[in-house]
Amino acid sequence: MEEKTRCLVNGQIDRTTQILPSAIQSTILARLDRLAPENQLMLKIAAVIGQAFPYEALRDTLRDSLEITETDLKTHLDDLTYLGYLRQETSASVVTFVFKHIIIREVIYQSLLFDRRRQLHRTVARWYEEKYTPGGKNRLKPVPTNSHLTVTRTLPPAHTPLAPYFSLLVYHWHQAGDEDREQIYAALLGEQATREFANAEALGYLSRALDLTPENDLRGRYNLLLAREMIYSRRGDRERQAIDLKSLANLVEQAQNLSWTANVYFRFASYAEITGNYDD
């Protein structure tokens, strides 16, 4: 029996596209150029939404750029499925399409101008927020940072219908260049992963949220540092745990909050006990 040769792509796809033979990229772009303008636009918007994308997200985002009926949209999607760009995956309640090849999606995505990509990512992020926020209104409005010691930002409840989409929102707001909103969802994901004992994931999101949290947002930094210090304690990473404890000590000294100070020095006592430093 004749063996079939397959090409497998490992690692980060954006890095892969940088080393793809130019002939492959040129071939994909040439095929794209032969499509009708509506189909080209649909594929570009779909590429921004993701490798897999809900039908509703494509429809609503597309309508910001093009007047199109539901019938025409479905016809175009049938065409793109027939031509081998997409395949449909339908569950009981959600119609989803998937790019048949990840490289096709990435080449199409990279063909978009940088500003246009940012604009589309912003539109897609807002679509998720509006669709999955109760009442259809987005209540997540970052509070501008100022000189107060306890600047806070409005966060949704942990079990909001939006929760399954936090990671998508981190991605889309990051690509849109909106660090305020990326910080909100990175913090939420960090808290979510901490509760689920997904320690490696929690560290990644908590650290990203900290990087994006202003120095004068003492409450935000206190909560994030405290959560990350607990993860380091779980993992037995005493060196990094000690660094976060020192950061917390500096923060509570600046904030002059007695409750925070008591909590932080309780964490110092716990650290000293775990490391056998009984004098401390």
Side-chain angles (χ1 to χ4, degrees):
M1 185 174 179
E2 183 181 351
E3 292 186 1
K4 293 185 177 180
T5 302
R6 295 186 302 160
C7 175
L8 300 179
V9 177
N10 294 315
Q12 295 183 338
I13 188 63
D14 55 352
R15 171 61 181 155
T16 304
T17 55
Q18 294 173 15
I19 59 175
L20 277 176
S22 57
I24 294 179
Q25 298 188 53
S26 298
T27 299
I28 293 171
L29 292 173
R31 286 189 63 199
L32 186 66
D33 286 341
R34 289 196 291 270
L35 295 175
E38 295 85 353
N39 285 349
Q40 291 185 39
L41 179 60
M42 286 173 59
L43 284 175
K44 289 176 179 179
I45 291 175
V48 170
I49 300 172
Q51 179 65 20
F53 53 93
Y55 168 78
E56 288 184 340
L58 175 65
R59 179 195 64 199
D60 296 344
T61 306
L62 182 65
R63 283 176 174 171
D64 280 355
S65 306
L66 178 70
E67 290 187 11
I68 188 168
T69 65
E70 198 97 12
T71 301
D72 287 343
L73 174 58
K74 290 178 178 177
T75 300
H76 288 304
L77 285 170
D78 287 342
D79 291 343
L80 292 171
T81 301
Y82 174 77
L83 292 170
Y85 289 96
L86 308 172
R87 70 172 184 271
Q88 183 175 335
E89 295 182 355
T90 306
S91 66
S93 58
V94 179
V95 177
T96 301
F97 287 85
V98 181
F99 279 91
K100 288 192 72 173
H101 301 286
I102 193 170
I103 292 175
I104 290 178
R105 180 251 168 177
E106 191 63 26
V107 171
I108 293 172
Y109 179 83
Q110 295 297 337
S111 72
L112 282 161
L113 294 176
F114 180 74
D115 286 345
R116 178 61 170 153
R117 286 207 306 260
R118 278 196 162 190
Q119 177 190 355
L120 287 171
H121 278 293
R122 181 177 294 273
T123 301
V124 173
R126 285 176 173 163
W127 181 86
Y128 277 104
E129 288 180 340
E130 291 171 5
K131 181 172 179 60
Y132 294 104
T133 300
K137 294 181 180 180
N138 176 19
R139 298 183 177 88
L140 291 179
K141 295 183 179 179
V143 178
T145 56
N146 52 41
S147 60
H148 297 302
L149 291 180
T150 56
V151 175
T152 58
R153 300 177 182 208
T154 306
L155 301 180
H159 301 294
T160 175
L162 194 60
Y165 306 99
F166 285 166
S167 59
L168 282 174
L169 286 161
V170 168
Y171 167 72
H172 285 298
W173 284 121
H174 174 74
Q175 297 297 337
D178 191 323
E179 293 187 344
D180 281 338
R181 298 187 86 76
E182 182 189 354
Q183 189 274 348
I184 289 174
Y185 292 108
L188 285 165
L189 271 171
E191 294 169 9
Q192 189 180 76
T194 298
R195 289 193 300 270
E196 296 170 358
F197 288 82
N199 295 330
E201 185 178 351
L203 282 176
Y205 284 116
L206 291 170
S207 297
R208 179 59 180 163
L210 267 169
D211 289 343
L212 297 174
T213 302
E215 291 294 331
N216 66 333
D217 184 356
L218 297 188
R219 184 179 298 277
R221 297 190 68 81
Y222 168 77
N223 289 330
L224 291 166
L225 278 168
L226 206 62
R228 192 172 71 176
E229 183 270 335
M230 183 175 68
I231 299 297
Y232 285 139
S233 180
R234 283 181 188 172
R235 292 166 64 97
D237 191 340
R238 302 305 168 203
E239 183 178 352
R240 288 185 172 86
Q241 184 184 0
I243 292 171
D244 275 0
L245 284 170
K246 289 178 182 177
S247 297
L248 281 163
N250 292 333
L251 187 149
V252 297
E253 182 179 354
Q254 182 181 355
Q256 296 293 302
N257 183 308
L258 291 178
S259 175
W260 294 4
T261 302
N263 198 22
V264 167
Y265 281 96
F266 174 80
R267 295 301 304 159
F268 267 105
S270 176
Y271 175 83
E273 182 181 23
I274 290 171
T275 57
N277 190 347
Y278 298 113
D279 289 341
D280 277 0

